[in-house]
């Protein structure tokens, strides 16, 4: 009996160990962790890094890891929200020095062109890109990457993208940007939800010749391991101040349009992008009051009690099933009955086309509007296929 117990215990422990090993093997490995794939290209080079607080490799930031390993990091380029990720949306962020390493930080959101100065471009030999995107056309990190790619193409500097998963990478949705609405929240002719990682998008920028004057960037992408477009990847670090959790990340494609209306989408509360409301909305018991907080210093409807809808009870599956969902905007539009005073011109920059506002004002349903961009989605699905690094 003792022998049987020992054998059973051995098999149980062996099975547990095997399960742990398999779980470890199936963990998503981000590009930055695969140092053997890119360290050789950094040897003897002056290295610039485009990153922010999301550029973590385990429990260390990429920049700290590079410096500890003797890599000559000379410049850090920071995106919207700054290197530490705590500035408001669109806020001008001055350049500075990283207090931990003493490395110069050059902000791409310093109120200038959004691309590095000629002086900065002459200061380095190779650019590393490592930043967590969320896969939406109006999320600005990819625009900063594309502007850096263009500068590097012009100055003959190679770019290495250390890829990370796209938490909204399991689907494509929304209209392709009409380029007459090109802006700081929409830079490329892609759908609102493009389903690509930054590495894949960089490959597409090159392949489709989307850089000015037909420039092509010297590009290398270090892919993730154990990732497909159906992997539900939970972000280890919130990507920006008002995307504090995965529910906000998943709802962002549907609630961001309130930025172009008088309606609060929860900035200045514990639920940004997960609630919406207005002081004059009728028929709702749920209420919230936006306050001035770090990352949302002057939110819409500041200190005013807003009545509206709480989306925090939705499951991930319910959000995914709807995809880009215009029902929330349509609900607020009809409730407030403001007519032409509901939408601002910023709405077209976010949604990327002119017919959506018109159809909402005509009383069309979310499904009727969504049918209008079906062909855009299918066209883009085929157009992007050559640039995919991961199984769909």
């Amino acid at each position: 009996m003792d022998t049987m117990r020992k054998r059973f215990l051995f098999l149980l422990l062996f099975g547990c160990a095997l399960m742990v090993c398999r779980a470890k093997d199936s963990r998503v490995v981000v590009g930055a962790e695969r140092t053997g794939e890119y360290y050789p290209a950094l040897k003897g080079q002056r290295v610039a890094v485009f990153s922010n607080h999301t550029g973590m490799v385990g429990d260390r930031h990429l920049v700290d890891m590079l410096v500890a390993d003797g890599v000559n990091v000379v410049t850090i380029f920071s995106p919207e929200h700054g290197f530490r990720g705590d500035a408001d949306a669109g806020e001008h962020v001055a350049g500075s020095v990283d207090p931990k390493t003493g490395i110069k930080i050059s902000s791409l959101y310093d109120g200038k062109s959004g691309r590095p100065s000629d002086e900065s471009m002459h200061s380095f030999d190779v650019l590393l890109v490592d930043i967590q995107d969320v896969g939406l056309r109006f999320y600005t990190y990819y625009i900063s990457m594309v502007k850096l790619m263009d500068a590097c193409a012009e100055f003959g500097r190679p770019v290495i993208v250390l890829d990370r998963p796209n938490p909204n990478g399991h689907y494509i949705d929304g209209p392709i940007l009409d380029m007459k609405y090109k802006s700081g929240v929409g830079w490329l002719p892609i759908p609102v939800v493009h389903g690509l990682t930054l590495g894949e998008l960089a490959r597409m920028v090159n392949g489709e010749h989307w850089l000015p004057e037909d420039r092509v960037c010297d590009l290398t992408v270090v892919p993730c391991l154990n990732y497909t477009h159906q992997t539900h990847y939970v972000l280890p670090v919130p990507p920006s101040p008002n995307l504090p959790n995965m529910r906000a990340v998943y709802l962002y494609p549907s609630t961001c349009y309130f930025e172009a209306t008088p309606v609060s989408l929860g900035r200045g509360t514990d639920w940004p992008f997960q609630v919406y409301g207005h002081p004059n909305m009728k028929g709702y018991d749920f209420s919230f009051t936006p306050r001035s907080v770090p990352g949302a210093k002057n939110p819409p409807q500041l200190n005013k009690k807003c009545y509206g809808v709480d989306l925090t009870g939705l499951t991930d599956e319910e959000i995914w099933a709807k995809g880009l969902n215009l029902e929330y905007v349509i609900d607020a539009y009809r409730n407030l009955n403001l007519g032409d005073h509901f939408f601002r011109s910023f709405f077209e920059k976010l949604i990327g086309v002119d017919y959506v506002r018109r159809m909402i004002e005509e009383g069309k349903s979310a499904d009727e509007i969504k049918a209008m961009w079906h062909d855009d989605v299918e066209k883009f699905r085929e157009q992007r296929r050559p640039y995919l690094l991961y199984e769909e």
Side-chain angles (χ1 to χ4, degrees), residues 88 242 266-270 289-304:
D88 281 15
N242 288 286
R267 289 186 186 274
T269 75
D270 291 336
T289 303
R291 305 293 187 193
S292 181
V293 297
K297 297 181 184 70
N298 188 30
Q301 305 301 341
L302 176 64
N303 297 327
K304 295 178 182 177

Side-chain angles (χ1 to χ4, degrees), residues 52 62 90 92 101 104 172 180 195 200 207 210 246 255 263 291 300:
N52 65 359
L62 172 72
H92 289 182
T101 61
K104 178 184 176 183
I172 304 169
K180 74 181 180 183
E200 291 172 323
W210 283 341
M246 294 310 295
T255 55
V263 177
R291 305 293 187 193

Side-chain angles (χ1 to χ4, degrees), residues 80 132-143 165-175 184-188 190-198 201 239-240 243 246-257 273 323-324 349-350:
E80 185 176 14
Q132 180 62 63
D133 194 55
V134 297
L136 303 177
R137 190 183 64 224
F138 42 63
Y139 201 63
T140 61
Y141 294 171
Y142 82 91
I143 299 176
N166 176 357
N168 285 306
H170 54 286
Y171 72 113
I172 304 169
D173 211 345
V185 290
W187 202 255
L188 299 175
I190 57 179
V192 173
V193 185
H194 53 73
L196 298 169
T197 65
L198 281 186
L201 187 57
S240 52
L243 293 178
M246 294 310 295
R247 187 182 298 105
V249 169
Y250 296 144
L251 282 169
Y252 189 36
S254 304
T255 55
C256 186
Y257 312 105
F273 293 97
L324 195 168
K349 292 179 179 179
L350 290 172

Side-chain angles (χ1 to χ4, degrees), residues 185-310:
V185 290
W187 202 255
L188 299 175
I190 57 179
V192 173
V193 185
H194 53 73
L196 298 169
T197 65
L198 281 186
E200 291 172 323
L201 187 57
R203 283 160 52 89
M204 192 169 187
V205 167
N206 259 356
E208 297 295 315
H209 295 271
W210 283 341
L211 295 180
E213 300 178 27
D214 219 29
R215 285 192 279 268
V216 175
C217 174
D218 179 352
L219 175 70
T220 302
V221 178
V222 180
C224 305
L225 298 178
N226 304 322
Y227 172 71
T228 77
H229 283 284
Q230 298 308 312
T231 302
H232 291 139
Y233 181 73
V234 176
L235 301 183
V237 179
S240 52
N242 288 286
L243 293 178
N245 55 42
M246 294 310 295
R247 187 182 298 105
V249 169
Y250 296 144
L251 282 169
Y252 189 36
S254 304
T255 55
C256 186
Y257 312 105
F258 287 119
E259 304 273 42
T261 77
V263 177
S264 167
L265 48 70
R267 289 186 186 274
T269 75
D270 291 336
W271 318 284
F273 293 97
Q274 302 158 78
V275 299
Y276 65 91
H278 185 276
N280 297 332
M281 281 180 68
K282 310 294 184 190
Y284 292 112
D285 295 327
F286 176 71
S287 65
F288 60 89
T289 303
R291 305 293 187 193
S292 181
V293 297
K297 297 181 184 70
N298 188 30
Q301 305 301 341
L302 176 64
N303 297 327
K304 295 178 182 177
K305 189 172 186 177
C306 297
Y307 298 91
V309 178
D310 179 6

Side-chain angles (χ1 to χ4, degrees), residues 4-62:
M4 287 182 66
R5 281 200 186 114
K6 287 177 181 175
R7 185 176 296 166
F8 175 75
L9 186 59
F10 171 77
L11 289 172
L12 185 64
L13 291 171
F14 180 75
C16 289
L18 195 61
M19 286 172 67
V20 169
C21 288
R22 282 179 177 167
K24 193 173 181 180
D25 289 344
S26 64
R27 178 184 67 86
V28 172
V29 178
V30 300
E33 293 181 71
R34 305 181 64 199
T35 53
E37 298 296 314
Y38 64 96
Y39 265 32
L42 308 182
K43 191 172 183 181
Q45 302 293 304
R46 299 171 301 166
V47 178
V49 175
F50 171 53
S51 189
N52 65 359
H53 65 290
T54 65
M56 299 299 292
V57 188
D59 60 357
R60 286 195 297 174
H61 193 277
L62 172 72

